[in-house]
Amino acid sequence: MKKSAIKTVSSGKSVKTDKTGTAADSTDSADIRQRRIYNARRLTAAVLLAAAVSATVLIMKLKHCGPVMPVPEYRTAGAAAGQTESPLSEIYEYTDFACPACAAANVQLQNMMNTYGSRIKLHFKHFPLSMHKWSGIAALYADCAGEQGRFFQYGEMLFRNQEEWADKDSEPEEFRIYADRLGLDRKQMESCVRKTENQTRIKLEKAEGQAKGITATPSFFINGKFHLGAGALASESMRIEQIIQAEKSRGARK
Amino acid sequence: MNLKDFSGSAARLITGSAFLIAGIEKVLVSHDILIWILKGLGLPTFAAFPAAWIFPFCQIFFGLFLICGLYTRVCVLFFSATVALEEIILLQAWLRMVPVAELDFYGIFLSHSIIWQIFQNVMLILILYPAFFYGSRYTLDNLIKSTLTENKK
C-alpha cells in the first residue's frame, strides 16, 4: 500500500501526495493546462466570430443596406397608397439644387413621372454638395415651400434658374423671389427656414447619403439598387414600358 | 431536453438575435444620425459620440456570442446593464415628453410611444433571466469543454 503525505502547494491548498509527491501535482497541473487550453479556444472562437460578423456587416454597408430616414410627404410623388395598380418602381433620388447634372436629370425624371407617374413611387432626398455654397439653403427653402404644398414647383424653379443664384456671393434674394412668384406666404417661409429641426433634417439626410456610399449627384436608388447619374432612368423607363405592355397583352388575351 | 434547458436556450437565441439585429441597424445607419437619436434622448454630446461608435459593435459581438453560447453569463450581464441604463434614459425622456427616434430596417421614425419601448425592454430583461440561469446547455462553451474532456479520456 502506498503511503500518502500532506503537502502544501503554492496556492495554499493542502493536497494529498504519494511518497514521491508527484501524482496529485501532475493532476493539478493537467487541470490548469486544460483550463488554459479551454480559455484559449474560447477566445479564439470569440475572435473568429467577431471577425466573421464584422466582415458581414462591412459587406452590408458596402451594399448600401440599412435603414432609411423617412421622406416628408411633400417630397414624395407618384403612386399613391391604396391605388389599384401596384407601383413598378421605387426611386430614391439624392440631388443638389445647384448641380447642373441634377437639373438635367430632373427634366428626365419629370418626363418619366408624366408618362408612368402612377406606377412609380418617387422619394426626393437632399444631398447638398459642399462645393455649392447655396445648395443647402436652397434645399431648406424648397422644404419650406413644401410645407406650403409647393415643393416640386419650387424645386423646378431652382433647377431651371440655377445660374441666377448658384454663384452669388451673398445669400441669393432669388429664394424669396421664387417664393413670391409661387404665391407662398413669405412670413411663414422665413420662420420655417430659421427652424433648427429643418436644418438638421437636411444635414442628416446628407449624412445618410454618405453612409449609403453617395459621393456625387445625382444619385439614385432604383428598387434598392444604387446608380450614379441619370443614365439608369432611361433603362428603368424601358423596363416599366415592357411590363405595362406585357400587362396590356395579357389583359387583351383574357 | 427538459423545460429549463429549452427555456434557457430559447431565451439566449431570442435576446441574442434581438441585440445582434439592433447592433447591425445602428452600424448601418450614419453615425451622425445615431448621435442625433442619442442626443434626442437627452444624452450629452460627450456621451453620445462614443456611444454611437462603440455600443453598436458591442451589441453585435455580444449578441452573436449569446446566440452561440460563448461567455453566456458575461453577455447576459452586459445586456442587462445596458437595457437597465436604456430604461433610465427612456424614463427621463418620457417624463420630459420628448419624442424619441425608433430605428429599424425599414426606417427611422420619430415616435411618442416611449412606454411601448420601456415595456419591450422590461420583457427583454425578463427573457434574459432564464438565459442567465439555464442557458448553459447547447452552447459553444460546452462544445469546447467536451472536446477537451474527450482528449483527456
Side-chain angles (χ1 to χ4, degrees), chain B residues 39-101:
Chain B
K39 277 185 183 172
L41 278 169
L43 230 64
T45 313
F46 71 87
F49 196 77
W53 279 99
I54 300 163
F55 184 62
F57 279 101
C58 290
Q59 276 193 320
I60 291 175
F61 295 151
F62 285 111
L64 188 63
F65 295 166
L66 198 56
I67 292 171
C68 299
L70 200 64
Y71 301 107
T72 307
R73 290 195 159 181
V74 176
C75 294
V76 171
L77 287 175
F78 169 79
F79 284 131
S80 306
T82 54
V83 171
L85 185 70
E86 201 188 324
E87 287 291 68
I88 296 168
I89 295 169
L90 283 172
L91 271 171
Q92 60 82 30
W94 178 63
L95 288 172
R96 293 189 300 129
M97 291 191 287
V98 269
V100 295

Side-chain angles (χ1 to χ4, degrees), chain A residues 75 93-106 109 124-140 142 151 155-162 165-167 175 202 205-206 214-220 228:
Chain A
R75 271 204 253 141
E93 180 193 17
Y94 286 81
T95 194
D96 173 338
F97 284 118
C99 133
C102 298
N106 187 56
L109 200 57
F124 190 100
K125 292 254 181 188
H126 293 303
F127 195 84
L129 296 168
S130 40
M131 64 179 178
H132 296 138
K133 203 174 170 183
W134 301 113
S135 55
I137 308 283
L140 199 53
F151 174 80
E156 203 203 318
M157 281 184 118
L158 287 171
F159 277 133
R160 212 172 342 113
N161 306 304
Q162 257 174 6
W165 59 269
D167 296 322
F175 296 152
I202 292 166
E205 232 163 58
K206 188 175 177 185
I214 292 168
T215 51
T217 52
S219 286
F220 299 90
L228 177 61

Side-chain angles (χ1 to χ4, degrees), chain A residues 26-203:
Chain A
S26 64
T27 320
D28 213 30
S29 63
D31 277 348
I32 293 168
R33 221 182 66 232
Q34 291 275 308
R35 190 88 209 152
R36 276 191 191 149
I37 296 170
Y38 171 65
N39 284 337
R41 284 187 183 173
R42 272 210 311 177
L43 194 64
T44 312
V47 171
L48 287 175
L49 281 174
V53 77
S54 301
T56 311
V57 171
L58 192 69
I59 290 167
M60 285 174 86
K61 207 161 172 108
L62 289 175
K63 295 255 176 206
H64 315 298
C65 301
V68 184
M69 296 258 294
V71 174
E73 199 52 47
Y74 56 76
R75 271 204 253 141
T76 58
Q83 69 175 39
T84 46
E85 290 170 317
S86 59
L88 298 171
S89 188
E90 182 158 43
I91 302 175
Y92 281 88
E93 180 193 17
Y94 286 81
T95 194
D96 173 338
F97 284 118
C99 133
C102 298
N106 187 56
V107 176
Q108 208 175 330
L109 200 57
Q110 260 182 359
N111 291 338
M112 203 172 158
M113 292 305 289
N114 290 340
T115 323
Y116 309 111
S118 63
R119 308 304 298 269
I120 298 171
K121 185 87 185 160
L122 175 69
H123 308 266
F124 190 100
K125 292 254 181 188
H126 293 303
F127 195 84
L129 296 168
S130 40
M131 64 179 178
H132 296 138
K133 203 174 170 183
W134 301 113
S135 55
I137 308 283
L140 199 53
Y141 270 94
D143 269 4
C144 291
E147 283 186 8
Q148 295 185 49
R150 308 297 292 269
F151 174 80
F152 285 102
Q153 292 88 336
Y154 193 90
E156 203 203 318
M157 281 184 118
L158 287 171
F159 277 133
R160 212 172 342 113
N161 306 304
Q162 257 174 6
E163 61 282 0
E164 282 181 11
W165 59 269
D167 296 322
K168 287 263 168 89
D169 291 328
S170 55
E171 190 178 315
E173 189 54 35
E174 279 78 3
F175 296 152
R176 288 172 202 89
I177 297 169
Y178 300 157
D180 289 343
R181 272 191 217 160
L182 287 173
L184 302 173
D185 183 330
R186 174 84 80 103
K187 232 180 186 175
Q188 202 182 323
M189 195 90 174
E190 294 293 338
S191 73
C192 166
V193 168
R194 276 195 294 273
K195 273 187 193 161
T196 12
E197 63 244 45
N198 292 335
Q199 294 165 6
T200 311
R201 188 173 51 220
I202 292 166
K203 218 177 90 186

Side-chain angles (χ1 to χ4, degrees), chain A residues 7-25:
Chain A
K7 188 191 170 192
T8 307
V9 291
S10 58
S11 63
K13 269 186 190 170
S14 293
V15 289
K16 273 190 174 180
T17 61
D18 62 10
K19 211 173 184 179
T20 53
T22 54
D25 270 353

